[in-house]
Amino acid sequence: MKIVVLNGSPKGDISVTMQYVAYIRKKFPEHTYEILNVAHEIRKIENDTAVWNKTIESIRSADMVLWAFPLYVMVVCSQYKRFIELIFERSAQDAFAGTYAASLSTSIHFFDQTAHAYIHAISDDLGMKYLGFYSADMKDLLSGEERTRLEKFVSLLVTAVQEKMPVQRENAPLVLPSLVLLR
Ligand SMILES: Cc1cc2nc3c(=O)[nH]c(=O)nc-3n(C[C@H](O)[C@H](O)[C@H](O)COP(=O)(O)O)c2cc1C
């Protein structure tokens, strides 16, 4: 199956979070992976139509999208947030709709649950089938127990996608207050 990783670290390939993705690739080589450095490359993605189109087409081809991001100041970094804004501004939701999604973060566990709740809600708004999250401490990869937990998480994701597990959205869509609509 094809896993598209949306890298939410402004550091790009050298990010700590991407080392967790590298570990997953090593342990699950039977899948294909495409890593999109959407935070690091946000200026190009926003300003170059060809880069934007290529990014969206890669996402469209995914069997599962992995939102992989670090925590920066209690949520995802602003570049990642901008990428998410662009999806809605440019009406690209259809490239995500119906695809399985999951999230993986590294942090020091300060407001990581808020960031995952945000990404879960965004996935719901995009019509994705959100399966769950793995929230690692930035040094967890050094622990055998945590590596085993990460492998179990990925195995569960793969099974869910392969068995086409039904997923219900958990977050109601936002409705504009009538006062805003009156303006
Ligand atoms: C400026 C800054 C802000 C951070 N804010 C948070 C935070 O709010 N919550 C948290 O748990 N970790 C926070 N961290 C820790 C990072 O999430 C952690 O180092 C992460 O593994 C970095 O991943 P990356 O190398 O993939 O960017 C922060 C780190 C920095 C440098």
Side-chain angles (χ1 to χ4, degrees):
M1 88 189 201
K2 179 172 178 184
I3 300 172
V4 169
V5 178
L6 298 178
N7 178 7
S9 173
K11 296 180 201 161
D13 293 332
I14 60 161
S15 102
V16 170
T17 313
M18 285 308 105
Q19 309 320 307
Y20 287 72
V21 173
Y23 183 76
I24 293 170
R25 290 180 80 155
K26 196 171 172 186
K27 287 289 168 181
F28 297 86
E30 64 277 27
H31 304 295
T32 53
Y33 299 82
E34 186 172 2
I35 298 177
L36 304 175
N37 289 329
V38 295
H40 188 252
E41 301 295 323
I42 190 62
R43 283 194 191 277
K44 269 192 226 156
I45 289 172
E46 182 163 5
N47 298 324
D48 186 331
T49 310
V51 177
W52 167 257
N53 290 340
K54 193 168 177 289
T55 303
I56 292 301
E57 286 320 305
S58 293
I59 292 164
R60 200 185 296 283
S61 70
D63 297 302
M64 183 176 78
V65 167
L66 182 64
W67 300 93
F69 57 87
L71 261 283
Y72 282 113
V73 197
M74 295 181 280
V75 72
V76 300
C77 68
S78 62
Q79 296 92 328
Y80 213 40
K81 184 80 183 68
R82 183 68 192 129
F83 176 69
I84 291 166
E85 283 173 350
L86 287 173
I87 300 165
F88 292 92
E89 276 177 31
R90 297 180 178 178
S91 304
Q93 294 96 316
D94 62 307
F96 295 77
T99 305
Y100 282 95
S103 48
L104 161 75
S105 68
T106 66
S107 71
I108 55 168
H109 293 310
F110 185 64
F111 279 83
D112 46 331
Q113 76 283 13
T114 312
H116 285 287
Y118 166 67
I119 291 295
H120 186 169
I122 292 296
S123 300
D124 281 354
D125 283 349
L126 291 170
M128 305 183 87
K129 295 182 251 182
Y130 182 84
L131 293 166
F133 69 90
Y134 184 92
S135 179
D137 184 277
M138 56 186 296
K139 289 188 183 159
D140 273 355
L141 209 49
L142 302 176
S143 146
E145 207 176 309
E146 289 301 328
R147 289 196 297 272
T148 305
R149 216 165 63 82
L150 178 60
E151 286 171 47
K152 277 191 188 144
F153 172 70
V154 177
S155 295
L156 287 170
L157 295 180
V158 168
T159 305
V161 176
Q162 286 174 342
E163 295 185 357
K164 299 187 172 37
M165 195 179 96
V167 177
Q168 245 184 334
R169 77 176 287 163
E170 279 189 15
N171 301 277
L174 284 180
V175 179
L176 281 180
S178 48
L179 276 177
V180 176
L181 293 172
L182 283 176
R183 276 200 307 197

